[in-house]
Amino acid sequence: LQIPSLEIMTALIADAQLAMLLRKVKKVAVVGISNKPERASHHVATFMRAAGIQVFGVNPVLAGKDIEGIKVYGTLAELPEQVDILDIFRNSDAVPSIVDELLTLRAAGNGAFAKEKDLCLWLQEGVAHAEAAQAAVDAGVDVVSNKCVLKEWERLGLPSKI
């Protein structure tokens, strides 16, 4: 009997946590959603919607629009319902202001980010900001950084419809 290394065990635990998070997700807000089908934010948002997840878009330029059944809002404060994942498709330098807005709303118990609700801040592949991520963790928000929701969904073998 060979005992797996600590590195392998850590990866397995991380995968199990990601799979559990993605299996229970019902509502996602995609910050930086695009109406251009060739953009990753558009593709991931429409994949999640097709998988049975309720998706809200956040993009001030596209506020009030509908992207393949996904209503777009101008700010986080405008989101009409609580979400499980706040999925960020913005440049890394935009993350601190997004996290600041999120934490302000969460502290006030407003709308989509009530304190008593579990929440994951998901920074898409290529998006990372250590200080903002730490501020979110310190406020009780789970953080996934520099990973693509869709790639993780497929890598973990999750069903295409929930």
Side-chain angles (χ1 to χ4, degrees):
L1 178 67
Q2 189 172 13
I3 299 173
S5 70
L6 180 59
E7 184 176 300
I8 291 171
M9 291 301 293
T10 301
L12 291 173
I13 291 167
D15 281 356
Q17 290 171 329
L18 275 178
M20 185 169 53
L21 168 71
L22 291 173
R23 278 190 189 101
K24 73 177 187 176
V25 67
K26 301 290 182 229
K27 297 177 185 178
V28 173
V30 176
V31 177
I33 191 169
S34 175
N35 58 353
K36 298 175 182 168
E38 66 273 13
R39 295 274 177 99
S41 61
H42 183 278
H43 184 66
V44 169
T46 56
F47 168 83
M48 288 190 289
R49 184 174 178 277
I53 297 167
Q54 186 173 5
V55 179
F56 303 99
V58 180
N59 184 328
V61 175
L62 300 174
K65 303 258 194 260
D66 183 278
I67 298 172
E68 295 189 39
I70 300 168
K71 185 165 169 61
V72 182
Y73 298 88
T75 67
L76 298 181
E78 295 172 24
L79 292 171
E81 299 180 41
Q82 291 188 342
V83 296
D84 304 304
I85 295 177
L86 183 63
D87 192 8
I88 309 297
F89 281 91
R90 295 286 311 277
N91 291 327
S92 295
D93 59 355
V95 173
S97 63
I98 295 167
V99 170
D100 287 347
E101 183 181 4
L102 163 67
L103 298 182
T104 298
L105 293 168
R106 192 162 171 88
N110 286 352
F113 308 107
K115 283 186 275 194
E116 64 277 356
K117 177 91 168 77
D118 288 341
L119 176 65
C120 177
L121 173 68
W122 192 297
L123 305 176
Q124 276 296 137
E125 192 172 53
V127 181
H129 196 286
E131 294 83 9
Q134 188 60 55
V137 168
D138 292 346
V141 176
D142 294 329
V143 176
V144 176
S145 185
N146 195 28
K147 289 185 183 287
C148 175
V149 169
L150 177 53
K151 287 179 182 177
E152 292 302 307
W153 191 285
E154 292 172 342
R155 184 181 68 78
L156 294 167
L158 299 175
S160 60
K161 191 97 171 149
I162 57 170

